[in-house]
Amino acid sequence: MDRLQTMKVFLAVVDEGGFTAAARHLEMSVPTVTRFVADLESYLGTRLLQRTTRRVHPTPAGLQYAQSVRPILEAVDTAFADAQGSTEALRGELRVATTPEFAENLIAPLLRRFQATYPGIALQVHVDATPQLTLEHYDVALLSAPEGLDANFVARRLFSAEGILCAAPHYLAQHGPLQHPSDLLQHRCLLRRSTRLRRGVLQLWQQGSDVLEAPGFEGEVEPSITINHTSSLLRMAIDGAGIAAFTHNVAAPYIAQGLLQHVLPQWITGRFALLAALPSRRHMPARTKAFLDFLTEHHNHLALPVPSLAATGPHHHCT
């Protein structure tokens, strides 16, 4: 019995939740996958999988065996990649989970350049407003905060950005300039939905201050709209519907074009970090590292969306 291959097949059945899905993932026939697992159970003298009509679950012995052999296979893969050299290590599929905003504004603008730099890496991107992350299904997830991640994941900070207030020049020409945050209470605000604060609360910090401390300004407005979609907020602000907040990265191109104007530049709505959620592995695969390093290197050219949760401090409040 090829023990490494058998381990690989068994883990695929556990990770994919069934023999058919594992066979599809491994490009094997279902009978072959079934035979590998049966041989393994016979060799070990214990049942590793509990079969039901809907799904295959590991038994306690199977779960323990999976936890034991996973690092062995990862070490083998790492040794193989090291032996092949950097070129071969930067080949294969990279499974990425992220939100719609990050997919649209982070991955899409850089895909062509990433393909040119790493033609051997194929991205498989899963987009979900609230990705349900598990160790088995993704190599990396791009998020704005680690809340809700599986305990087997660790978070790596890639880069951060400040939230700023913006409005269309024609909106400000019609409704007047702002001299102090209290002026926001007399303006139309376009708010991003927050699970942390009651509806319509605005919090601002002075530029350079610690956002973990109490805000320098806090007030309550009647929002014109509350929404959890960054692209829609951007369109509304450009159309002159009111004042909204975005990270500096997303606003900068539109400010440069004269479509938006930075409002109250001495104040920020928070500081936000882009995090990469990674499986808690001893060795990061070369293609994962290449992908994350590429994003970090080029982040100044990206339109990074406003996160739904602040990883480095309180949530911003005028989007």
Coordinates of all heavy atoms in Angstrom, one line a residue, residues 156-196:
R156 N -2.6 37.4 9.2 CA -1.4 38.2 8.9 C -1.8 39.5 8.3 O -2.6 39.6 7.4 CB -0.5 37.4 7.9 CG 0.6 38.2 7.2 CD 1.3 37.5 6.2 NE 2.2 38.4 5.3 CZ 2.9 38.0 4.3 NH1 2.8 36.7 3.9 NH2 3.6 38.8 3.6
R157 N -1.3 40.6 8.9 CA -1.6 41.9 8.4 C -0.8 42.2 7.2 O 0.4 42.0 7.1 CB -1.3 43.0 9.5 CG -1.7 44.4 9.1 CD -1.1 45.4 10.1 NE -1.5 45.1 11.4 CZ -2.6 45.6 11.9 NH1 -3.4 46.4 11.2 NH2 -3.0 45.3 13.1
L158 N -1.5 42.6 6.1 CA -0.8 42.9 4.9 C -0.5 44.4 4.8 O 0.6 44.8 4.5 CB -1.7 42.5 3.6 CG -2.0 41.0 3.5 CD1 -2.8 40.8 2.2 CD2 -0.7 40.2 3.5
F159 N -1.5 45.3 5.0 CA -1.3 46.7 5.1 C -2.6 47.4 5.6 O -3.6 46.7 5.8 CB -1.0 47.3 3.7 CG -1.9 46.9 2.6 CD1 -3.1 47.5 2.4 CD2 -1.6 45.8 1.7 CE1 -4.0 47.1 1.4 CE2 -2.5 45.4 0.7 CZ -3.7 46.0 0.5
S160 N -2.5 48.6 5.9 CA -3.6 49.3 6.6 C -3.9 50.6 5.8 O -3.1 51.1 5.0 CB -3.3 49.6 8.0 OG -2.1 50.4 8.1
A161 N -5.0 51.2 6.1 CA -5.4 52.5 5.5 C -6.3 53.2 6.4 O -7.0 52.7 7.3 CB -6.2 52.2 4.1
E162 N -6.4 54.6 6.2 CA -7.2 55.4 7.1 C -8.5 55.7 6.3 O -8.6 55.8 5.1 CB -6.5 56.7 7.4 CG -5.3 56.6 8.3 CD -4.7 57.9 8.7 OE1 -4.9 58.9 7.9 OE2 -4.0 58.0 9.7
G163 N -9.6 55.8 7.1 CA -10.9 56.2 6.6 C -11.0 57.7 6.6 O -10.7 58.4 7.5
I164 N -11.5 58.2 5.4 CA -11.7 59.7 5.3 C -13.1 60.0 4.8 O -13.7 59.2 4.2 CB -10.6 60.3 4.3 CG1 -10.8 59.7 2.9 CG2 -9.2 60.0 4.8 CD1 -10.0 60.4 1.9
L165 N -13.5 61.2 5.1 CA -14.8 61.7 4.6 C -14.7 62.3 3.3 O -13.8 63.1 3.0 CB -15.4 62.7 5.6 CG -15.7 62.1 7.0 CD1 -16.0 63.3 8.0 CD2 -16.9 61.2 7.0
C166 N -15.7 62.1 2.4 CA -15.7 62.6 1.1 C -17.1 63.0 0.6 O -18.1 62.5 1.1 CB -15.2 61.5 0.1 SG -13.5 61.0 0.4
A167 N -17.1 64.0 -0.3 CA -18.4 64.4 -0.9 C -18.1 64.9 -2.3 O -17.0 65.3 -2.6 CB -19.1 65.4 -0.1
A168 N -19.1 64.9 -3.1 CA -18.9 65.5 -4.5 C -18.8 67.0 -4.4 O -19.5 67.6 -3.6 CB -20.1 65.1 -5.3
P169 N -18.0 67.6 -5.2 CA -17.8 69.1 -5.2 C -19.1 69.8 -5.4 O -19.4 70.8 -4.7 CB -16.9 69.4 -6.3 CG -16.0 68.1 -6.4 CD -17.0 67.0 -6.1
H170 N -20.0 69.3 -6.2 CA -21.3 70.0 -6.5 C -22.2 69.9 -5.3 O -23.1 70.8 -5.0 CB -22.0 69.6 -7.8 CG -22.3 68.1 -7.8 ND1 -21.4 67.1 -8.2 CD2 -23.4 67.4 -7.5 CE1 -21.9 65.9 -8.2 NE2 -23.2 66.1 -7.8
Y171 N -22.1 68.8 -4.5 CA -22.9 68.7 -3.2 C -22.4 69.8 -2.3 O -23.2 70.5 -1.6 CB -22.7 67.3 -2.6 CG -23.3 67.3 -1.2 CD1 -24.6 67.0 -1.0 CD2 -22.5 67.5 -0.1 CE1 -25.2 67.0 0.3 CE2 -23.0 67.5 1.2 CZ -24.3 67.3 1.4 OH -24.9 67.3 2.7
L172 N -21.1 69.9 -2.1 CA -20.5 70.9 -1.2 C -20.8 72.3 -1.6 O -21.1 73.2 -0.8 CB -19.0 70.7 -1.0 CG -18.6 69.4 -0.4 CD1 -17.1 69.2 -0.4 CD2 -19.1 69.3 1.1
A173 N -20.9 72.6 -2.9 CA -21.2 73.9 -3.4 C -22.6 74.3 -3.1 O -23.0 75.4 -2.9 CB -20.9 73.9 -5.0
Q174 N -23.5 73.3 -3.1 CA -24.9 73.5 -2.8 C -25.2 73.6 -1.3 O -26.0 74.4 -0.9 CB -25.8 72.4 -3.4 CG -27.3 72.6 -3.2 CD -28.1 71.4 -3.8 OE1 -27.5 70.6 -4.5 NE2 -29.4 71.5 -3.6
H175 N -24.5 72.8 -0.5 CA -24.9 72.7 0.9 C -23.9 73.4 1.8 O -24.1 73.5 3.0 CB -25.0 71.2 1.3 CG -26.1 70.5 0.6 ND1 -27.4 70.6 1.0 CD2 -26.1 69.8 -0.5 CE1 -28.2 69.9 0.2 NE2 -27.4 69.4 -0.7
G176 N -22.8 73.9 1.3 CA -21.8 74.6 2.1 C -20.7 73.7 2.6 O -20.8 72.5 2.8
P177 N -19.5 74.4 2.8 CA -18.3 73.6 3.3 C -18.5 73.3 4.8 O -19.3 73.8 5.5 CB -17.2 74.7 3.1 CG -17.8 76.0 3.2 CD -19.2 75.8 2.6
L178 N -17.6 72.4 5.2 CA -17.6 72.0 6.6 C -16.3 72.5 7.3 O -15.2 72.3 6.8 CB -17.7 70.4 6.7 CG -19.0 69.8 6.4 CD1 -19.2 69.6 4.9 CD2 -19.2 68.4 7.1
Q179 N -16.5 73.1 8.4 CA -15.3 73.6 9.2 C -15.0 72.7 10.4 O -13.9 72.7 10.9 CB -15.6 75.0 9.6 CG -15.9 76.0 8.5 CD -14.8 76.2 7.5 OE1 -13.6 76.1 7.9 NE2 -15.1 76.4 6.3
H180 N -16.0 72.1 10.9 CA -15.9 71.3 12.2 C -16.8 70.0 12.1 O -17.8 70.1 11.4 CB -16.3 72.1 13.4 CG -16.0 71.4 14.7 ND1 -16.9 70.6 15.3 CD2 -14.9 71.4 15.5 CE1 -16.4 70.1 16.4 NE2 -15.2 70.6 16.6
P181 N -16.4 68.9 12.7 CA -17.2 67.7 12.6 C -18.7 67.9 13.0 O -19.5 67.3 12.5 CB -16.5 66.8 13.6 CG -15.1 67.1 13.6 CD -15.1 68.6 13.4
S182 N -18.9 68.9 13.9 CA -20.3 69.2 14.3 C -21.2 69.6 13.1 O -22.4 69.5 13.1 CB -20.4 70.2 15.4 OG -19.8 71.4 15.0
D183 N -20.5 70.2 12.1 CA -21.2 70.6 10.9 C -21.9 69.4 10.2 O -22.8 69.5 9.4 CB -20.3 71.3 9.9 CG -19.8 72.6 10.5 OD1 -20.4 73.1 11.4 OD2 -18.7 73.0 10.0
L184 N -21.4 68.2 10.4 CA -21.9 67.0 9.8 C -23.4 66.7 10.2 O -24.1 66.1 9.4 CB -21.1 65.7 10.2 CG -19.7 65.6 9.5 CD1 -18.9 64.5 10.3 CD2 -19.8 65.2 8.0
L185 N -23.7 67.2 11.4 CA -25.1 67.0 11.9 C -26.1 67.7 11.0 O -27.3 67.4 11.1 CB -25.2 67.4 13.3 CG -24.2 66.8 14.3 CD1 -24.4 67.3 15.7 CD2 -24.2 65.3 14.2
Q186 N -25.7 68.7 10.2 CA -26.6 69.5 9.4 C -26.5 69.0 7.9 O -27.1 69.6 7.0 CB -26.2 71.0 9.4 CG -26.1 71.5 10.8 CD -27.4 71.3 11.7 OE1 -28.5 71.5 11.1 NE2 -27.2 71.0 12.9
H187 N -25.7 68.0 7.6 CA -25.6 67.5 6.3 C -26.2 66.1 6.1 O -26.5 65.4 7.1 CB -24.1 67.4 5.9 CG -23.5 68.7 5.6 ND1 -23.3 69.2 4.3 CD2 -23.0 69.8 6.3 CE1 -22.8 70.4 4.2 NE2 -22.6 70.7 5.5
R188 N -26.3 65.8 4.8 CA -26.8 64.4 4.5 C -25.7 63.5 4.6 O -24.6 63.6 3.9 CB -27.4 64.4 3.1 CG -28.6 65.3 2.9 CD -29.0 65.3 1.4 NE -30.1 66.3 1.2 CZ -30.5 66.6 0.0 NH1 -29.9 66.1 -1.1 NH2 -31.5 67.4 -0.2
C189 N -25.8 62.4 5.4 CA -24.7 61.4 5.5 C -25.2 60.1 5.0 O -26.3 59.7 5.2 CB -24.4 61.3 7.0 SG -23.3 62.6 7.6
L190 N -24.3 59.5 4.3 CA -24.6 58.2 3.7 C -23.8 57.2 4.5 O -22.6 57.2 4.6 CB -24.1 58.1 2.2 CG -24.4 59.3 1.4 CD1 -23.8 59.2 0.0 CD2 -25.9 59.4 1.2
L191 N -24.5 56.3 5.2 CA -23.9 55.5 6.3 C -23.7 54.1 5.8 O -24.6 53.5 5.2 CB -24.7 55.5 7.6 CG -25.0 56.9 8.2 CD1 -25.7 56.7 9.5 CD2 -23.7 57.7 8.3
R192 N -22.6 53.5 6.3 CA -22.4 52.0 6.1 C -23.0 51.4 7.3 O -22.7 51.8 8.5 CB -20.9 51.7 5.9 CG -20.6 50.2 6.0 CD -19.2 49.9 5.7 NE -19.0 49.9 4.2 CZ -19.2 48.8 3.5 NH1 -19.7 47.7 4.0 NH2 -19.0 48.9 2.2
R193 N -23.7 50.3 7.1 CA -24.3 49.6 8.2 C -23.3 49.0 9.2 O -22.3 48.5 8.8 CB -25.2 48.4 7.7 CG -26.0 47.7 8.8 CD -26.8 46.7 8.1 NE -27.8 47.3 7.2 CZ -28.2 46.7 6.1 NH1 -27.8 45.4 5.8 NH2 -29.0 47.3 5.2
S194 N -23.5 49.2 10.5 CA -22.5 48.8 11.5 C -23.3 47.9 12.5 O -24.4 48.2 12.9 CB -21.9 50.0 12.2 OG -21.1 49.5 13.3
T195 N -22.6 46.8 12.9 CA -23.2 46.0 13.9 C -22.8 46.4 15.3 O -23.3 45.9 16.3 CB -22.8 44.5 13.7 OG1 -21.3 44.4 13.7 CG2 -23.3 44.0 12.4
R196 N -21.9 47.4 15.4 CA -21.3 47.8 16.7 C -22.1 49.0 17.3 O -22.2 49.1 18.5 CB -19.8 48.3 16.5 CG -18.8 47.2 16.2 CD -17.4 47.8 16.2 NE -17.1 48.3 17.5 CZ -17.0 49.5 17.8 NH1 -17.4 50.5 16.9 NH2 -16.7 49.9 19.1

